[in-house]
């Protein structure tokens, strides 16, 4: 099956794929105000151990970055799901703390359904949103137009990060 362009959220793809960086993938720790009212707001990264973490399968451990460098958070999700959307919705419902991409939770942050916690901590910054395609196919006009359109749409700052 021939694929002209695929979208990946990952570290920079290598090997047989040509990668075009489209946007940053800012990830933040967040929770619903109701969860924080019931369980308290963590003041330090170490406080996360006393909280329910929410993540899809294979999204833990969390790779974070802070003012003092990289941080790894081990743990188990309070739920078992293979769906990032389910993890997001459970976070909005007040069941725990999650590490989510701003493109995923932007509306919930804006309407107050979620709030950011530990604002000096981010998800690892080596993860971004890429358009990828087989090497040698970068010059195909339809794929080039697709990539150029999304680069322009998400530049200089993606709309979900404004």
């Amino acid at each position: 099956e021939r694929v002209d362009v695929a979208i990946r959220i990952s570290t920079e793809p290598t090997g047989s794929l040509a990668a075009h960086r489209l946007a940053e993938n800012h990830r933040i720790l967040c929770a619903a105000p109701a969860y924080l009212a019931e369980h308290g707001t963590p003041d330090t990264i170490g406080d996360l151990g006393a909280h329910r973490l929410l993540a899809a399968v294979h999204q833990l451990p969390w790779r974070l970055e802070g003012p003092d460098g990289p941080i790894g958070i081990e743990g188990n999700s309070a739920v078992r799901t293979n769906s990032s959307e389910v993890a997001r919705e459970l976070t909005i419902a007040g069941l725990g703390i999650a590490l989510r991409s701003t493109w995923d939770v932007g509306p919930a942050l804006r309407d107050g359904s979620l709030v950011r916690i530990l604002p000096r901590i981010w998800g690892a910054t080596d993860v971004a949103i890429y358009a990828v395609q087989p090497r040698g196919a970068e010059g195909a006009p339809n794929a080039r137009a697709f990539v150029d359109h999304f680069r322009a749409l998400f530049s200089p700052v993606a709309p979900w990060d404004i």
Side-chain angles (χ1 to χ4, degrees):
E1 189 174 325
R2 186 171 167 261
V3 175
D4 293 320
V5 178
I7 304 299
R8 284 204 179 155
I9 300 172
S10 67
T11 57
E12 185 168 5
T14 59
S16 64
L17 297 175
H20 312 278
R21 191 180 188 109
L22 298 177
E24 300 297 322
N25 183 48
H26 297 126
R27 293 176 297 150
I28 61 167
L29 293 165
C30 57
Y35 174 85
L36 298 173
E38 184 176 341
H39 300 280
T41 301
D43 293 319
T44 68
I45 201 76
D47 293 343
L48 289 177
H51 287 270
R52 281 185 269 162
L53 306 182
L54 299 173
V57 174
H58 304 299
Q59 290 183 338
L60 276 165
W62 287 339
R63 291 185 322 117
L64 306 173
E65 294 179 14
D68 298 325
I71 306 160
I73 298 295
E74 298 288 335
N76 296 306
S77 179
V79 298
R80 184 163 175 83
T81 180
N82 66 352
S83 170
S84 290
E85 291 81 10
V86 167
R88 178 195 60 225
E89 294 304 311
L90 291 173
T91 307
I92 291 170
L95 296 178
I97 294 172
L99 176 65
R100 305 300 310 158
S101 296
T102 55
W103 58 261
D104 185 37
V105 295
L109 291 167
R110 285 189 289 282
D111 73 16
S113 301
L114 290 176
V115 295
R116 184 171 185 185
I117 60 168
L118 300 173
R120 294 172 35 127
I121 306 295
W122 291 86
T125 57
D126 63 343
V127 175
I129 303 170
Y130 292 92
V132 297
Q133 55 193 143
R135 290 211 181 274
E138 301 96 327
N142 59 340
R144 178 89 257 140
F146 178 88
V147 171
D148 289 347
H149 171 75
F150 281 96
R151 273 189 171 154
L153 188 63
F154 299 155
S155 179
V157 176
W160 54 81
D161 280 335
I162 295 176

